[in-house]
Amino acid sequence: MEFRDNVYELLNTIDACQCFFDIAVNFDLTKNYLDLIVTYASVFYMLSRIDDKKAIVGLYNCAYEFSNGNSDPSFPRLGQMFIEYDHPWKKLSEEFGPHTKSVTGALLSLRMLYPRRNLSADQWRSAQLLSLLASPAAMLSPTCCDTMACEYLSTEVMERWILIGFLLCHSSLNTNADSQNLWKTALRSGLYLTVIRDEVLNIHKLSEDFFDGLKGYSKRIPDIKECKDYVITNCGALRREKRNFLRNALKELTKVLEDEPALLGPKALYVFMALSFSRDEVLWLVRHAENIPKTKTPEDYADSQLAELLYHMEKLRTLLAQHRYVIQRYHLQYLSQYDALVLNDIIQGMYVCPEEESVLMSSFVSTLSAMSLKHLDAGEEFDLKAFRLDWLRLQAYTSTGKAPLALKDYPDLAKVMNMAQFHTRMMDSVNELLCETADLSILCFHARVFEKLFSQSSEDVSMQRYLTAFPVICSHFSQCLHPLCPEEVSTVSPARQFINMQCFQLCCATISTARNKKLKKSLPKKGDVPKEKPGTESLRKDRAIVTNLDKMHQALTELCASYSICADFTVFKHIIVPAEFLLSQLEIRLNKVIVQMANYNQSTHEIARPSDLLAGIQAYVTSLHSLSCYINIDVTRLVKNVLLQQTQPLDSYGSQTITTLYTNWFLEGLLRQASSALIVHCPTTQCFVNQNTENEQSFHAEEYADICGLRSLAELIGPYGLKFLNENLMWHIISQVGELKKLVSDNMDVLVQMRANFENPDAMSDLQKKLTGCENVLKRMTIIGVILSFRSMVQEALGEVNVSIYCLKDLISPEGDIKVTLSVYEMASAAGLPCEIDPALVSAIANMQTGHQNNIHCLATAVNHIAAAMFTVQRKNTRIQLQEFLKVASSILLQLGQNVERMEIKNRDSIYVILHMIVEQSPFLSQDMLETCFPYVLLRNAYREVHKTFIHTMG
């Protein structure tokens, strides 16, 4: 109610004073007057759109009455006002009837400006609009005109003034040809007007319905229909051509100003004109793309090249911010050395000048004359808002009907003051001017269309370099929100979504480029004639022929170039760094790609060879490094982070890594079959190989568990990954050791007697018969040996790291402190160096204080590792204990040889060879020790017999 009363009072005062309005003379006064009218009409139109307004006001009155004991005194008037404005345009037109003269006069001042601003693209092109290169001789000359502020005034704003203004004061449409022509011109510019945010008026429908209910306006209805048909038929194509022109014009303007930023001084007006024109066209497209009319050419309301226009708009904004000092320095000198002098001459030539107006104009001259470069160089901030406010006050004084000094009689004064006002804005309010001419924050309320325009631009390869303009525009959104609505300031999702989609496209381009590089050509079918003849590889390629790889490379280049528009930007107090966002997305996707390349199938136990995966990763990494040629990102850091994550069981996002996949595969696929003797360990070639069986196996073990494959595995998952693999291997070993401890516990009494009587053959023979689970012991020890043999091969593969173990060996003795021993051995083991005592096995057993074609050759490895680990845990001298074991074993084997007819000696030669292997592989035993208790001739004969058996079996 207060707003309505205040507007009533102001409009009546303006009419009583017989104020004069002319956009070219008293620009600020006229603009504020027309803005007041449109704002007033928009408020009551939006009020009429609220369905529950009566209920809301009723609740308010009840709450007021509960709080104060009586109802709100203004409630009856408020209720009556709601009833009156149920049909807002009819009521508003009645209210503005007395103000028709003032409103029409203000609107008719646009009759020269609006048609000049509403030209076609061909007319712009003929006039070489916005081109600094059109007249090189005048490039350094300042851009001046009689109506500086009118040149960047939004045409959308003028159309809103005209169309809503003539709805309120429509009588002049029947009496004034200029009014009618201006109104028709505005009606031909589009179908919709923005009221606020995403609320629009279908102006033709509204006007037709409104005039249809008024007497004497039947002739206006055909005019409205004719204008609507013109818009539907022609306006889409005309606007598309305007956007095409502006794309090229802004591109040229940006290039010239980037090369010569000093031109921002004399040609600053060109920049704001370009931004204002472009903003009008972007918002027109958004309004109409949200409500596409029925037309034969719907493609006119889509624009796959809009990204380029937005990009150049942001580029111009960036140039203004970067070269603010250049602009200020130029206009400071212009104000003090030209505007002040010209203004002083005009004032001196005035015959009539009342005292108050004289004081104001004298202050203008003194303010401008006092400005100097030393203040600017000293870093002082200029605040010229008082100057502009005084100029607005002077316009009000000199625009009344009975003013002794009429501004319309002094057009030169108005021209100089309007120009000086623009120059002062270049000193202290460039950002405010940018909000007037280049603010696209309203796109926040047209999210669906905004996303659609982004998708259309992203599909055009030539536009991909400009895509970052979309998330950057999200930084405008904070300007359109109100502090009384804090819930709206809550999200950066549009910017995040755009950058995410952009990163996805870039990742796809990168991955596709890498994939195309490594794809092999398909082999010709049988009987097909080869298309290429020998020597074709030497022929020069025609680069005019664009291959698929060329297209991918171009897409990658264009997408990378889009990140050069800005290093960072702020959306709702969130700082977004596109390059870092890209790195995070590349990290996520590279992790996924590496896991996908492993091709692990848990059900069939299939997985890619480590060497193949390593080659694939190297190809992708090489392709990723090409990104640094186009965009300033640290690809090396990215790759290190990803590969380091792949050495852990889970990556930073909780997903499985190749460390987990290969650990599961080697345990469940390879070693499980090796435990069943389907796969055997070959110590000669240092690999695992498949046994010849009836059932064909799904993989060849030698392709995964050979020297090359395990080196690739070590390079892929590194020491951390191998540590995880070792921990899982140790878990399986410990489970076997646990079963062995049970068997030892069951046979403890017999084993103690055997140790005491190992030199008594008869007693030993009787004691051996009392042992139970001998085959079980042999099987479990063999499984342990297979696992430890595989682990030894993996450690050797990791051992390419250049670390000397000897300096570590000298630090400890086997019987030293177990914690110190483990720490040093773990250091060596992590480097892939061989250790006398397996630290992982020692640690695993310490935590248990609570308990040839069959891979039998792995038994020696198992005995050595288990014995060394056990004795270390018990803090005993490993060398002495193993020597005692050697004596007992030798004695028992020699006793077996004396009983020729007994069944126990059927594999005697193989047992002799295993004993020799135990001594050879042990760092604590030597050949000399063996010969003191076991004749070498028996070993020689055993090797000969085993070799004969092998030849016979293989033959």
Side-chain angles (χ1 to χ4, degrees):
M1 290 298 297
E2 291 180 1
F3 171 70
R4 182 190 182 194
D5 294 341
N6 290 332
V7 172
Y8 269 4
E9 183 181 354
L10 181 58
L11 292 177
N12 290 329
T13 301
I14 289 174
D15 285 345
C17 294
Q18 299 179 354
C19 287
F20 159 77
F21 295 105
D22 189 337
I23 197 74
V25 178
N26 49 6
F27 175 86
D28 298 298
L29 187 64
T30 304
K31 180 179 182 298
N32 289 331
Y33 178 69
L34 292 173
D35 280 341
L36 174 65
I37 294 170
V38 171
T39 301
Y40 181 81
S42 300
V43 166
F44 284 99
Y45 168 73
M46 292 303 300
L47 183 64
S48 69
R49 296 286 309 277
I50 302 174
D51 296 329
D52 300 327
K53 54 182 177 292
K54 295 180 181 178
I56 294 171
V57 173
L59 288 173
Y60 162 75
N61 188 55
C62 290
Y64 187 93
E65 189 171 353
F66 283 137
S67 301
N68 300 280
N70 59 316
S71 61
D72 188 344
S74 62
F75 176 68
R77 286 188 63 210
L78 190 61
Q80 182 62 32
M81 185 185 73
F82 282 175
I83 295 173
E84 292 174 353
Y85 284 95
D86 276 343
H87 302 284
W89 299 109
K90 181 179 179 181
K91 176 61 178 176
L92 287 168
S93 65
E94 294 173 357
E95 288 180 353
F96 275 86
H99 312 302
T100 299
K101 182 179 178 181
S102 297
V103 174
T104 303
L107 293 175
L108 287 177
S109 70
L110 300 171
R111 66 182 179 277
M112 299 299 294
L113 174 63
Y114 177 68
R116 176 167 59 84
R117 288 288 308 280
N118 195 25
L119 299 176
S120 66
D122 290 336
Q123 291 171 309
W124 280 352
R125 198 171 287 112
S126 300
Q128 295 183 313
L129 186 70
L130 303 177
S131 176
L132 298 180
L133 304 178
S135 53
M139 188 174 289
L140 296 178
S141 302
T143 304
C144 298
C145 64
D146 295 343
T147 54
M148 294 285 281
C150 294
E151 301 307 315
Y152 54 81
L153 179 62
S154 170
T155 55
E156 180 191 4
V157 170
M158 288 191 280
E159 288 162 5
R160 195 181 299 122
W161 289 345
I162 295 168
L163 294 173
I164 293 180
F166 281 125
L167 274 179
L168 304 180
C169 304
H170 45 77
S171 60
S172 63
L173 293 178
N174 286 340
T175 59
N176 191 316
D178 290 337
S179 296
Q180 190 178 127
N181 291 334
L182 185 62
W183 176 67
K184 286 183 179 179
T185 304
L187 280 176
R188 291 192 183 99
S189 62
L191 295 172
Y192 301 98
L193 282 180
T194 299
V195 179
I196 184 174
R197 296 187 171 182
D198 58 342
E199 288 288 337
V200 295
L201 286 176
N202 187 333
I203 193 61
H204 296 86
K205 184 176 185 304
L206 173 63
S207 300
E208 186 175 347
D209 293 343
F210 178 71
F211 288 125
D212 190 38
L214 294 178
K215 293 182 179 180
Y217 287 88
S218 58
K219 293 182 180 179
R220 301 286 74 82
I221 295 177
D223 293 338
I224 296 170
K225 291 181 178 179
E226 183 269 329
C227 292
K228 181 179 180 180
D229 293 340
Y230 176 86
V231 171
I232 294 174
T233 306
N234 303 309
C235 208
L238 291 173
R239 295 286 182 161
R240 186 185 67 240
E241 288 303 314
K242 282 189 174 185
R243 293 193 299 273
N244 289 338
F245 169 82
L246 288 171
R247 265 192 295 272
N248 295 323
L250 264 67
K251 183 177 182 179
E252 176 190 306
L253 186 62
T254 302
K255 294 296 183 183
V256 172
L257 294 177
E258 281 182 330
D259 189 55
E260 294 292 343
L263 291 175
L264 283 169
K267 303 300 180 184
L269 181 61
Y270 273 34
V271 176
F272 291 103
M273 289 171 60
L275 291 172
S276 179
F277 294 177
S278 301
R279 176 180 181 269
D280 285 338
E281 297 307 318
V282 171
L283 296 186
W284 187 95
L285 176 64
V286 170
R287 287 197 305 275
H288 289 77
E290 189 83 58
N291 307 277
I292 299 178
K294 294 181 180 179
T295 176
K296 296 180 179 178
T297 56
E299 63 275 7
D300 290 339
Y301 299 91
D303 193 345
S304 62
Q305 297 180 318
L306 185 67
E308 185 177 2
L309 182 59
L310 298 177
Y311 174 87
H312 292 305
M313 289 178 68
E314 289 302 316
K315 204 69 175 175
L316 288 175
R317 289 173 63 105
T318 304
L319 286 172
L320 289 172
Q322 288 177 344
H323 303 287
R324 179 188 175 194
Y325 179 78
V326 173
I327 298 171
Q328 286 182 327
R329 187 180 180 87
Y330 178 87
H331 287 95
L332 185 146
Q333 296 177 78
Y334 203 112
L335 285 165
S336 61
Q337 299 176 21
Y338 181 80
D339 290 341
L341 301 178
V342 174
L343 182 59
N344 186 58
D345 291 342
I346 293 175
I347 294 174
Q348 296 299 324
M350 296 175 67
Y351 297 106
V352 178
C353 189
E355 182 178 357
E356 191 168 358
E357 285 83 344
S358 177
V359 171
L360 284 175
M361 287 189 284
S362 298
S363 69
F364 296 156
V365 176
S366 60
T367 300
L368 300 182
S369 301
M371 300 173 68
S372 65
L373 286 174
K374 66 179 181 180
H375 297 105
L376 181 63
D377 295 335
E380 295 183 14
E381 293 292 334
F382 293 92
D383 187 0
L384 298 170
K385 292 180 181 177
F387 175 91
R388 293 190 289 272
L389 186 60
D390 285 343
W391 168 228
L392 176 59
R393 186 179 293 114
L394 183 62
Q395 292 179 54
Y397 291 165
T398 58
S399 298
T400 59
K402 297 180 181 180
L405 176 63
L407 186 60
K408 61 183 177 181
D409 297 333
Y410 294 93
D412 291 339
L413 174 62
K415 173 185 173 182
V416 172
M417 284 303 299
N418 285 329
M419 183 170 61
Q421 184 194 39
F422 174 76
H423 294 160
T424 61
R425 299 193 74 175
M426 294 298 97
M427 295 297 298
D428 65 348
S429 62
V430 170
N431 290 336
E432 294 177 9
L433 198 52
L434 282 174
C435 289
E436 293 179 21
T437 57
D439 176 38
L440 294 172
S441 58
I442 198 172
L443 294 175
C444 177
F445 305 105
H446 295 275
R448 188 178 64 85
V449 174
F450 197 29
E451 293 171 9
K452 183 179 178 181
L453 292 170
F454 176 84
S455 299
Q456 292 170 355
S457 296
S458 63
E459 292 171 1
D460 189 339
V461 176
S462 64
M463 291 294 109
Q464 289 177 344
R465 64 169 49 235
Y466 307 114
L467 287 180
T468 305
F470 282 90
V472 171
I473 284 172
C474 296
S475 62
H476 301 191
F477 290 175
S478 59
Q479 298 170 11
C480 70
L481 303 181
H482 198 279
L484 295 180
C485 301
E487 69 279 1
E488 294 180 336
V489 190
S490 59
T491 178
V492 293
S493 58
R496 194 186 303 277
Q497 180 182 358
F498 291 144
I499 296 183
N500 195 22
M501 293 169 66
Q502 197 174 347
C503 291
F504 174 75
Q505 290 180 328
L506 194 148
C507 294
C508 290
T510 306
I511 292 170
S512 299
T513 303
R515 184 172 180 272
N516 277 279
K517 286 182 179 178
K518 55 181 285 200
L519 283 178
K520 298 180 179 178
K521 293 183 178 179
S522 58
L523 296 173
K525 294 182 180 179
K526 199 170 183 180
D528 289 353
V529 179
K531 296 181 180 180
E532 294 184 356
K533 296 181 179 180
T536 54
E537 68 278 0
S538 301
L539 296 176
R540 185 180 298 276
K541 293 184 178 180
D542 185 2
R543 296 309 296 149
I545 301 175
V546 180
T547 64
N548 193 41
L549 183 60
D550 293 333
K551 294 178 181 177
M552 289 296 178
H553 192 270
Q554 182 189 2
L556 175 62
T557 305
E558 295 293 326
L559 285 166
C560 288
S562 68
Y563 284 84
S564 64
I565 186 172
C566 67
D568 59 76
F569 57 94
T570 303
V571 181
F572 296 133
K573 298 183 181 180
H574 293 262
I575 298 176
I576 297 177
V577 184
E580 289 299 322
F581 193 92
L582 172 62
L583 276 176
S584 65
Q585 293 300 308
L586 284 173
E587 179 181 316
I588 295 172
R589 298 182 192 282
L590 186 56
N591 272 315
K592 291 181 180 179
V593 165
I594 291 175
V595 172
Q596 290 171 358
M597 289 171 64
N599 290 327
Y600 179 59
N601 189 324
Q602 189 172 5
S603 59
T604 61
H605 294 299
E606 295 178 354
I607 200 169
R609 295 170 58 187
S611 55
D612 291 343
L613 178 58
L614 181 61
I617 291 175
Q618 289 172 344
Y620 281 107
V621 169
T622 302
S623 180
L624 279 175
H625 274 290
S626 65
L627 287 178
S628 58
C629 300
Y630 310 105
I631 183 173
N632 186 22
I633 59 173
D634 191 351
V635 177
T636 302
R637 175 166 65 93
L638 163 69
V639 174
K640 284 183 177 179
N641 288 343
V642 171
L643 294 182
L644 185 60
Q645 290 179 43
Q646 291 299 315
T647 65
Q648 304 299 318
L650 300 174
D651 62 19
S652 58
Y653 301 95
S655 302
Q656 286 189 338
T657 62
I658 57 173
T659 293
T660 302
L661 299 184
Y662 276 107
T663 297
N664 293 340
W665 186 86
F666 276 108
L667 288 172
E668 302 298 328
L670 189 139
L671 293 178
R672 185 178 292 277
Q673 295 190 41
S675 300
S676 305
L678 297 175
I679 294 174
V680 296
H681 174 246
C682 181
T684 306
T685 57
Q686 283 290 292
C687 68
F688 283 82
V689 295
N690 294 59
Q691 285 270 50
N692 293 325
T693 59
E694 295 180 358
N695 297 326
E696 184 178 355
Q697 297 182 3
S698 59
F699 64 92
H700 297 288
E702 58 271 19
E703 294 182 354
Y704 296 83
D706 61 350
I707 295 175
C708 179
L710 293 180
R711 282 180 180 173
S712 299
L713 178 67
E715 191 170 347
L716 284 169
I717 67 176
Y720 291 115
L722 291 179
K723 181 177 182 294
F724 177 75
L725 174 61
N726 285 337
E727 289 171 354
N728 282 269
L729 293 175
M730 289 304 109
W731 184 88
H732 283 74
I733 290 175
I734 291 307
S735 65
Q736 299 297 329
V737 172
E739 296 299 320
L740 288 174
K741 288 183 68 176
K742 293 179 182 178
L743 292 171
V744 171
S745 179
D746 294 341
N747 293 277
M748 181 61 71
D749 294 338
V750 178
L751 292 172
V752 170
Q753 296 178 43
M754 291 181 71
R755 180 179 180 184
N757 299 287
F758 70 90
E759 293 182 350
N760 186 342
D762 295 334
M764 291 295 291
S765 176
D766 294 337
L767 290 171
Q768 286 180 26
K769 293 178 181 179
K770 296 180 181 180
L771 290 173
T772 59
C774 295
E775 291 294 329
N776 200 358
V777 171
L778 192 63
K779 179 181 178 182
R780 295 188 182 281
M781 287 297 291
T782 303
I783 292 174
I784 294 173
V786 169
I787 296 175
L788 289 173
S789 297
F790 171 74
R791 184 176 181 276
S792 177
M793 291 171 59
V794 172
Q795 288 296 109
E796 289 179 13
L798 184 62
E800 295 182 359
V801 179
N802 187 19
V803 177
S804 176
I805 190 61
Y806 301 108
C807 60
L808 299 174
K809 283 184 177 179
D810 296 338
L811 296 176
I812 60 169
S813 60
E815 60 272 12
D817 181 56
I818 184 172
K819 293 183 179 180
V820 177
T821 303
L822 280 177
S823 64
V824 177
Y825 277 132
E826 283 175 4
M827 290 168 60
S829 179
L833 299 171
C835 302
E836 295 176 351
I837 300 173
D838 191 323
L841 191 56
V842 170
S843 178
I845 292 177
N847 292 328
M848 289 182 61
Q849 298 301 326
T850 60
H852 232 201
Q853 292 179 352
N854 57 358
N855 284 316
I856 196 64
H857 56 278
C858 297
L859 187 63
T861 302
V863 169
N864 277 313
H865 283 76
I866 294 293
M870 287 286 193
F871 295 141
T872 301
V873 170
Q874 299 298 325
R875 299 188 181 182
K876 294 182 178 181
N877 190 307
T878 305
R879 187 180 301 277
I880 295 174
Q881 298 297 323
L882 283 177
Q883 286 178 359
E884 183 179 349
F885 163 77
L886 186 59
K887 291 178 182 179
V888 174
S890 300
S891 176
I892 294 174
L893 290 178
L894 290 173
Q895 293 173 19
L896 287 176
Q898 295 175 2
N899 301 315
V900 179
E901 296 180 357
R902 294 180 57 182
M903 292 298 295
E904 289 90 337
I905 64 173
K906 61 181 180 179
N907 293 318
R908 180 185 59 188
D909 295 323
S910 298
I911 298 173
Y912 290 171
V913 172
I914 290 173
L915 179 64
H916 186 239
M917 292 173 64
I918 291 173
V919 174
E920 276 190 329
Q921 295 179 16
S922 174
F924 304 100
L925 299 175
S926 66
Q927 195 66 34
D928 294 340
M929 294 180 185
L930 179 62
E931 290 184 0
T932 60
C933 54
F934 196 86
Y936 183 75
V937 66
L938 294 179
L939 291 175
R940 183 181 61 193
N941 293 335
Y943 272 107
R944 184 177 66 249
E945 293 300 324
V946 169
H947 185 62
K948 285 182 180 178
T949 305
F950 176 76
I951 294 175
H952 176 73
T953 304
M954 298 302 293

